[in-house]
């Protein structure tokens, strides 16, 4: 699977983990966004603190993840506060580090496929920008997974406005996520199925096609970060 499929797969996996945990406590799914964040905090041990936008602990950012706490802008609209927190949980699950997310870093609709020309070509390969885009994609899929949106839209015949009303999320955000869920092939579901059906025998057969040295194998089998590979002729 490519990197973006991996990110979406991880977002759905984390959400399923939370829903299983919640079901054991007698809570029905799908969870409200408030419940989703509450359980995310319980499972990860990360505290969540709303602070004013001008609070010095935010350093002018919309949200931060530091020392086991997510601090986020409490002056923003309620649904944005939800996205800021999901964005920081994404950093915890994907990047395992301290983050300071500036206003321009948290983009609800930015495409993962950035244009590869001009200044955007440089920005697309910047490690900071890459991490922020990954957190944005993860947060969108975590809050509104494509399979859930398709069930609501196709199965329950809920339009975007009713989904926005049900979830409390901004209509433009719902429209963006819904368009992706309906128009883009669900590689996440296919990737998950392929992982589940893979056996040691067919993995061995596939890997025996090429003979790789240690450095080549490390590059070929890496799935946890974008790589810049320097190779000879």
């Amino acid at each position: 699977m490519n990197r973006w499929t991996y990110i979406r797969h991880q977002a759905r996996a984390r959400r399923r983990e939370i829903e299983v945990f919640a079901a054991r406590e007698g809570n029905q799914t799908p969870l409200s966004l408030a419940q989703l964040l509450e359980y995310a905090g319980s499972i990860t041990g990360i505290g969540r603190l709303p602070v004013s936008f001008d609070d010095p602990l935010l350093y002018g950012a919309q949200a931060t993840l530091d020392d086991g706490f997510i601090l986020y802008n409490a002056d923003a609209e309620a649904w944005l506060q939800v996205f800021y927190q999901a964005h920081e949980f994404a950093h915890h699950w994907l990047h395992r580090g301290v983050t300071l997310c500036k206003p321009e870093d948290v983009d609800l609709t930015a495409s993962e496929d950035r244009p590869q020309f001009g200044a955007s070509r440089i920005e697309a390969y910047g490690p900071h920008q890459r991490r922020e885009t990954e957190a944005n994609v993860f947060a969108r899929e975590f809050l509104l997974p494509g399979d859930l949106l398709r069930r609501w839209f196709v199965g329950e015949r809920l339009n975007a406005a009713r989904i926005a009303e049900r979830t409390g999320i901004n209509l433009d955000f719902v429209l963006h996520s819904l368009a992706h869920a309906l128009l883009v092939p669900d590689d996440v579901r296919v990737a998950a199925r392929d992982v589940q059906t893979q056996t040691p025998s067919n993995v061995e057969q596939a890997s025996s096609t090429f003979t790789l040295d240690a450095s080549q194998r490390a590059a070929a089998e890496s799935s946890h970060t974008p790589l810049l590979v320097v190779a000879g002729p």
Side-chain angles (χ1 to χ4, degrees):
M1 68 180 79
N2 66 33
R3 179 61 178 173
W4 302 114
T5 301
Y6 171 81
I7 296 293
R8 294 181 186 278
H9 180 272
Q10 288 299 305
R12 290 194 198 177
R14 294 299 185 181
R15 182 174 176 125
R16 283 195 300 271
E17 177 186 352
I18 289 172
E19 289 175 340
V20 169
F21 185 83
R24 289 173 181 166
E25 295 193 343
N27 287 311
Q28 294 183 344
T29 58
L31 301 171
S32 69
L33 297 183
Q35 290 175 311
L36 195 62
L37 294 174
E38 186 69 31
Y39 277 113
S42 297
I43 288 175
T44 60
I46 293 176
R48 298 173 296 128
L49 297 175
V51 296
S52 299
F53 180 65
D54 57 0
D55 192 298
L57 292 174
L58 276 182
Y59 302 97
Q62 297 289 4
T64 66
L65 171 62
D66 189 11
D67 197 25
F69 285 92
I70 291 173
L71 282 71
Y72 59 94
N73 176 13
D75 297 327
E77 295 179 67
W79 68 274
L80 275 174
Q81 295 179 38
V82 168
F83 188 80
Y84 295 153
Q85 294 173 72
H87 182 98
E88 297 306 319
F89 276 120
H91 278 307
H92 168 75
W93 279 316
L94 295 174
H95 307 129
R96 299 289 181 177
V98 175
T99 66
L100 182 67
C101 297
K102 300 177 182 178
E104 61 270 21
D105 292 333
V106 185
D107 191 335
L108 290 81
T109 60
S111 171
E112 49 264 44
D113 299 316
R114 299 178 64 84
Q116 298 300 305
F117 53 85
S120 295
R121 180 181 180 124
I122 305 301
E123 293 173 0
Y125 282 95
H128 175 78
Q129 183 60 47
R130 186 79 172 191
R131 286 193 299 270
E132 294 303 325
T133 303
E134 289 174 353
N136 287 325
V137 172
F138 184 105
R140 292 201 298 262
E141 192 69 22
F142 179 71
L143 296 175
L144 289 178
D147 51 347
L148 178 61
L149 283 174
R150 281 190 297 275
R151 187 168 80 239
W152 281 345
F153 186 82
V154 178
E156 299 184 28
R157 298 186 178 278
L158 299 180
N159 60 23
R162 292 184 63 189
I163 293 174
E165 182 181 355
R166 171 179 286 191
T167 59
I169 291 183
N170 173 271
L171 178 60
D172 288 341
F173 180 82
V174 172
L175 286 169
H176 180 274
S177 297
L178 186 60
H180 187 280
L182 296 175
L183 301 178
V184 178
D186 193 4
D187 293 337
V188 177
R189 182 172 54 190
V190 173
R193 181 197 64 202
D194 290 346
V195 169
Q196 292 171 356
T197 58
Q198 207 169 39
T199 64
S201 61
N202 60 37
V203 171
E204 182 179 354
Q205 181 180 3
S207 62
S208 65
T209 306
F210 301 99
T211 301
L212 304 177
D213 63 29
S215 64
Q216 291 170 333
R217 183 169 297 280
E221 295 181 354
S222 174
S223 62
H224 296 292
T225 182
L227 297 179
L228 178 61
V229 178
V230 180

